[in-house]
Amino acid sequence: MTGKVTSQQVAELAGVSQSAVSRVFTPGASVSKKMALKVRESAEQLGYRPNVLARAMVSGKSRIIGIVVSYFENQFYTEILAKFSEALKERGYHILIFMASVESHALEEVMNDILDYQVDGIIVASVNLTSDIVDGCHSAGVPVVLFNRSQDIAGVSAITSENFAGGRKVADFLLSGGHKKIGYIAGWEQASTQRDRERGLISALEDANVEMFAREVGNFNTEEAREATRRMFQCPEEKRPDAVFVANDHMALTVMDVLRYECNLRIPEDVSVVGYDDAPPAAWPTYNLTTVRQRSNIMVEETLNALFEWIESPETARCRTIAIDGPLMVRGSARLPEANNTQGITDERF
């Protein structure tokens, strides 16, 4: 058969009504197994594919969720997108991924593009919103949920890890390992995740009457993390840290490569390195990175719960900010505390 096959042609071959064909290809619609089998066999024979966008125009539901990501090179988000895709598929939804820089004007353009696709909801990961952007989405009847970010904006739910507590865990761990000169390589300064992780680190150091020894900014970027490591460590021994907390694993892996292959420092003998996220490469033998785990399965689940509460019951839905605690995954990139010096350390090995 040549030309585009229509649902009417499928209906005629199957001997059913056109509305029956529509119901078969509408997720959640009521249809008998016998009817569904007859229609799908006819559709396969004719090479018919349902027009999802056209159906969305009629029903007002596209069953598509837009996801905005800024740091796609970050391995943590590669894993997260796969989990969102699988979880949404189980709900009968699909994802549409958009890339955006962290600048608000660029994000505004992306959000306008997303709304043109008639998405049912939007998840914004690792990007800061503005009130104007949120108002535009709400005017279009599209709910927005922040993932791995928190902002004080009305009408937006936010799901994060317990970043402040995570920063404290790292400080307690390094102090318990006998470190006195603890450095920090920050992420993007305007990110809530970055600020809270650093605040937690400083809080625990202050409790121990220890000052942060050195600080550089890597902006969650590979090349900037590389330069930050060079500035921090290419100096006389007395001026360089004996441990460094890096604001996420993506930068921490780069930090480890520079320390080993440019600065000729041993990890953890000369310097301990701790990251944040527990992205898949952190457990690779090459890095064996000690890091704070973000419980991504729970974070994805809570994000979708918050989003679908707005999609399914907008009149009664409420905004929520949820912070999920995660353990410190102790591996080989950092000096281990002595057995009698483990107060505040949460890893099950201690």
Side-chain angles (χ1 to χ4, degrees), residues 1-23:
M1 177 175 291
T2 60
K4 189 172 183 179
V5 180
T6 67
S7 60
Q8 180 60 45
Q9 291 170 307
V10 175
E12 291 173 357
L13 181 61
V16 300
S17 66
Q18 190 173 9
S19 62
V21 175
S22 177
R23 290 198 306 275

Side-chain angles (χ1 to χ4, degrees), residues 57-299:
M57 294 178 65
V58 174
S59 67
K61 296 291 184 181
S62 65
R63 305 193 75 83
I64 295 174
I65 302 299
I67 300 184
V68 184
V69 182
S70 179
Y71 302 104
F72 195 68
E73 63 177 359
N74 184 342
Q75 301 92 338
F76 174 70
Y77 285 108
T78 305
E79 179 186 34
I80 286 299
L81 288 173
K83 290 182 177 181
F84 271 126
S85 178
E86 187 62 30
L88 283 166
K89 183 179 179 181
E90 291 178 1
R91 293 176 180 248
Y93 280 73
H94 299 280
I95 65 171
L96 196 59
I97 301 172
F98 287 78
M99 296 293 298
S101 65
V102 294
E103 289 81 11
S104 60
H105 67 85
L107 177 59
E108 187 171 356
E109 293 178 3
V110 169
M111 295 295 271
N112 287 332
D113 288 342
I114 293 177
L115 293 176
D116 288 343
Y117 281 88
Q118 304 293 311
V119 297
D120 293 341
I122 300 175
I123 298 167
V124 178
S126 70
V127 180
N128 281 2
L129 294 171
T130 66
S131 296
D132 288 343
I133 291 174
V134 173
D135 290 344
C137 292
H138 287 176
S139 295
V142 179
V144 180
V145 175
L146 279 167
F147 177 86
N148 204 29
R149 280 286 190 279
S150 63
Q151 288 182 253
D152 188 17
I153 297 180
V156 177
S157 291
I159 313 299
T160 70
S161 69
E162 282 277 12
N163 291 293
F164 180 84
R168 286 193 60 93
K169 288 177 185 179
V170 173
D172 289 338
F173 176 77
L174 293 175
L175 291 169
S176 297
H179 293 287
K180 303 295 184 183
K181 301 189 297 182
I182 299 173
Y184 178 67
I185 296 182
W188 182 51
E189 302 269 25
Q190 296 183 52
S192 63
T193 50
Q194 142 59 31
R195 294 194 302 268
D196 291 345
R197 291 168 193 176
E198 183 172 4
R199 284 196 310 110
L201 174 74
I202 293 173
S203 172
L205 292 178
E206 288 179 345
D207 287 349
N209 294 315
V210 175
E211 291 186 2
M212 186 187 295
F213 186 79
R215 183 186 190 274
E216 294 289 346
V217 179
N219 272 323
F220 296 136
N221 176 274
T222 298
E223 188 53 43
E224 291 186 57
R226 184 175 289 115
E227 290 298 328
T229 310
R230 291 167 179 158
R231 291 192 299 269
M232 185 175 285
F233 286 95
Q234 289 182 344
C235 57
E237 181 177 357
E238 64 273 11
K239 294 185 177 181
R240 71 183 184 227
D242 60 7
V244 59
F245 173 33
V246 189
N248 74 356
D249 287 355
H250 177 62
M251 292 194 299
L253 303 182
T254 297
V255 170
M256 293 180 72
D257 286 341
V258 173
L259 291 175
R260 285 169 169 165
Y261 305 119
E262 294 188 31
C263 302
N264 296 315
L265 295 174
R266 297 169 301 165
I267 301 171
E269 294 84 357
D270 298 322
V271 56
S272 292
V273 181
V274 179
Y276 203 110
D277 283 343
D278 199 25
W284 294 355
T286 302
Y287 295 105
N288 201 23
L289 176 65
T290 293
T291 183
V292 179
R293 169 175 289 176
Q294 297 213 69
R295 295 186 183 275
S296 56
N297 288 337
I298 300 175
M299 291 173 69

